[in-house]
Amino acid sequence: MTSPSTTEQTGTQASGWKLAGFALLFILLSAGGTWAIWHQFADNNFSFDDRLLSAAFLIAAVVLLGIYFAADGLRLHFTLRALGHSLPIGQIFRLVFINIFFSNVTPMATGGGFAQIWYLQRKGVPVGTATAATTIRTVLAIAFIFSVTPICLLWLDALKGQPLLGEVSGLLALFIALYLGFFAIVLLRTRWLIGPLSTLIDLLHRIHVINEPRRRRWQFGMKREMVRFARSFAIYIRGPRRDVLLSVVFTLAFLISLFSFPALLMTALGYDVDYLTVIGLLFVTTFIMYFAPTPGASGISEGVFGSFFSTLVSANHLVLVTVAWRFLTIYLGMIIGLVLMQRELASSLRTSQVESGQRNQTGKPGSGMTDDPTQTS
């Protein structure tokens, strides 16, 4: 009979091949998007500017990266604290980079949420609480982006006459309403989702995708985690005001630092930068990226950025600014996240092998996850 550790290793290898495929797709689409900028918006011009290698720029970039990564970690840290959990800050910051990697190699950033929940569960956070923490963390950022984007679309001069927005403005308004409505249900009326999810599980059973024992387990697990999630969000709202406030403050700091990289690049290249215009353009760019079906919005993000900034940056600098922006905000974090994720997977596999050996020796199952401490008795 196949041992659990062998099964997990096989599953890990299969997942690794899938991730490799998504990563390759990410690289190809990013290259395609960059080529489209070079061909369509930069008039086939490109030149490297060694001002991006100056000591002043490199120091400023390191400082801004520090603020960006720190704010990203601290917004999750204080969300967890508001939920009654706390992890060592080193584990939080490892999760920052793991999330960057998975969010950008899976379509519509879906893998980032699952990776965060998996990681937090491994560190002792119950699934329901981990789901609530990552969802609240995402919703806070979405609330800022979706609130500011309509203002930018209406009043930002740099966006007037953009053919891309003129064609999809109606769809953007619809997406804003649907997205906000969905997350309002997730946060405020979580139990409304139990019925549709229960129907979906029953459908999977009827078409023989899952068997009866698994159907019962999934039904029980889904209802339990939905209840825990709803309870966890209520705990967050009633949590320590300092932690709740800081989770919001660091979310805003994260977004502002993230959106400041193009301004830093343009300043280093000698442009007269309208900071509010750059921030506004990045709000709209990020909003569009939320709906991109490609891994990490690759290809689409480059194209949208190039279209928006083609009037602010000269043709020979447009590709350079685009690639440097993506490198600082995405590629660098992905590389670090890939290394950290490999270490986490190796550690998880070793732990599984040790527990499997202990079960074989004692004939007893390993200890499971403790119950959710946020659950009232």
Side-chain angles (χ1 to χ4, degrees), residues 17-48:
W17 280 111
K18 290 180 182 179
L19 284 178
F22 279 130
L24 178 60
L25 182 61
F26 172 86
I27 293 170
L28 293 175
L29 289 172
S30 297
T34 303
W35 178 86
I37 295 173
W38 175 77
H39 182 68
Q40 185 168 352
F41 300 111
D43 298 324
N44 298 343
N45 288 319
F46 172 80
S47 63
F48 182 79

Side-chain angles (χ1 to χ4, degrees), residues 287-298:
F287 169 80
I288 294 174
M289 288 167 61
Y290 269 102
F291 304 101
T294 59
S298 52

Side-chain angles (χ1 to χ4, degrees), residues 166-336:
E167 294 173 2
V168 299
S169 57
L171 287 176
L172 292 180
L174 177 62
F175 278 138
I176 290 174
L178 291 176
Y179 227 69
L180 291 178
F182 171 75
F183 277 104
I185 292 174
V186 169
L187 295 177
L188 303 177
R189 293 292 184 270
T190 308
R191 286 177 173 82
W192 288 5
L193 298 176
I194 291 179
L197 290 176
S198 179
T199 301
L200 177 61
I201 293 173
D202 287 340
L203 175 62
L204 293 175
H205 175 252
R206 284 198 298 272
I207 62 177
H208 306 293
V209 174
I210 58 176
N211 56 27
E212 176 60 24
R214 178 166 295 182
R215 185 195 71 83
R216 289 197 299 267
R217 288 198 304 272
W218 283 19
Q219 289 280 12
F220 173 77
M222 179 271 296
K223 292 175 183 177
R224 179 189 61 193
E225 297 307 330
M226 281 292 177
V227 170
R228 287 179 175 178
F229 174 82
R231 185 177 291 116
S232 294
F233 182 70
I235 290 172
Y236 171 80
I237 294 297
R238 298 193 302 266
R241 287 289 167 251
R242 174 179 174 274
D243 294 330
V244 174
L245 177 61
L246 286 175
S247 69
V248 175
V249 168
F250 280 111
T251 298
L252 181 59
F254 162 75
L255 292 174
I256 295 301
S257 59
L258 172 63
F259 297 161
S260 295
F261 282 98
L264 175 62
L265 290 163
M266 292 168 64
T267 300
L269 292 172
Y271 290 92
D272 185 15
V273 177
D274 184 338
Y275 183 70
L276 291 180
T277 295
V278 172
I279 294 294
L281 289 175
L282 263 295
F283 265 104
V284 179
T285 300
T286 305
F287 169 80
I288 294 174
M289 288 167 61
Y290 269 102
F291 304 101
T294 59
S298 52
I300 295 175
S301 59
E302 289 86 357
V304 172
F305 183 91
S307 173
F308 287 171
F309 280 83
S310 60
T311 59
L312 304 179
V313 179
S314 64
N316 63 314
H317 281 155
L318 185 58
V319 173
L320 176 64
V321 171
T322 303
V323 173
W325 163 65
R326 289 288 279 177
F327 174 78
L328 291 170
T329 59
I330 301 298
Y331 305 154
L332 180 60
M334 286 181 68
I335 293 169
I336 298 172

